[in-house]
Amino acid sequence: MREMWPQAPGIAAWGLMTGVAMVKSGMSVFESLAMTLLVFAGSSQLAAIPLLVAGAPMWVILATGFCVNLRFVVFSLHLRPYLIHLPRWERMAHGYLTADLSYVLFTRRYPKPAADAEGRRAQEAYLAGNCFVNWGSWMVPSIVGVALANFIPTRWGLGFAGILCLVGILCSLASTRLRIVSAAVAGAVAVATWALPLKLNIVVAIAAAVLLCLGLEKLRPATQEARP
């Protein structure tokens, strides 16, 4: 938990402005609270809000949320050896609570799954503690933002703290050339297709980066084999 606390202010500012944005976009207080408690995915919430305001079709909203959260499929596959011994309900709870920062800190601290029961308990405690701090740092400010939306002006720009938090996560995850290429391609395509309606530039950017990197990954073994 000590390693997560320094990140809490950025998460809290991001959650506060997300709560404000949901209410000011026209969602009711009940809808905003339900989305906060059930979705618990800041990036997809922020991506869905302008689509809801614009009256986008449901499939576009769902496709955008799916693409934005696609990284959690990779996270869950990576965490499977760490958590496979737990009951299903505990794994589901970890799936709901684990977010970007808690995943990054956990995999940095424990590059490999523990080999004995004591090590597994230590890893579970570390992950659960970080997830608790992360969840609380997001939920409480989000609910405060929903409750006080009409008293907090969006021009305060507190959401920028959340963006900085995401940039930090992105930099920490860009640990290989392929990941750096994927981030650069996704960013370039998102900017180049900014004019697309309904924030479809996000979907296009993710698709372009995934397809390009899948192609590069298939070429890499052939390149290595061709070397003398």
Side-chain angles (χ1 to χ4, degrees):
M1 293 174 67
R2 287 196 301 269
E3 295 181 4
M4 181 60 78
W5 278 117
Q7 323 302 327
I11 298 171
W14 189 20
L16 179 68
M17 293 313 297
T18 300
V20 173
M22 284 191 290
V23 174
K24 292 200 172 182
S25 67
M27 296 174 67
S28 68
V29 171
F30 176 78
E31 290 169 340
S32 301
L33 289 175
M35 189 175 191
T36 297
L37 295 171
L38 297 177
V39 177
F40 185 45
S43 51
S44 64
Q45 284 178 246
L46 288 175
I49 289 171
L51 297 177
L52 292 169
V53 173
M58 183 57 69
W59 72 267
V60 173
I61 299 172
L62 293 175
T64 301
F66 176 80
C67 291
V68 171
N69 283 334
L70 200 57
R71 66 191 185 282
F72 286 104
V73 176
V74 180
F75 292 176
S76 63
L77 287 173
H78 188 194
L79 292 177
R80 186 176 186 275
Y82 294 89
L83 306 176
I84 191 63
H85 61 282
L86 296 175
R88 186 185 300 275
W89 71 269
E90 285 191 47
R91 283 181 277 146
M92 296 292 286
H94 277 295
Y96 169 73
L97 292 171
T98 301
D100 300 88
L101 276 175
S102 50
Y103 168 79
V104 170
L105 292 176
F106 177 77
T107 52
R108 275 187 174 180
R109 177 71 175 269
Y110 298 105
K112 295 181 180 179
D116 53 34
E118 185 178 354
R120 285 195 288 270
R121 282 196 296 273
Q123 291 184 351
E124 291 164 22
Y126 182 88
L127 182 60
N130 280 351
C131 286
F132 173 75
V133 174
N134 184 73
W135 186 84
S137 301
W138 174 266
M139 280 297 171
V140 174
S142 290
I143 293 172
V144 171
V146 171
L148 304 179
N150 293 326
F151 301 97
I152 302 175
T154 53
R155 65 175 180 275
W156 282 7
L158 291 176
F160 188 63
I163 294 174
L164 292 178
C165 193
L166 280 181
V167 171
I169 296 170
L170 176 67
C171 293
S172 64
L173 289 175
S175 55
T176 66
R177 290 180 181 177
L178 197 60
R179 291 178 180 178
I180 294 172
V181 169
S182 68
V185 169
V189 173
V191 173
T193 57
W194 177 258
L196 287 176
L198 303 175
K199 300 288 184 183
L200 287 174
N201 62 317
I202 297 174
V203 179
V204 174
I206 294 172
V210 169
L211 291 175
L212 176 65
C213 290
L214 285 176
L216 291 175
E217 201 162 36
K218 285 184 178 179
L219 291 174
R220 190 166 53 178
T223 304
Q224 291 174 347
E225 289 174 4
R227 290 177 180 171

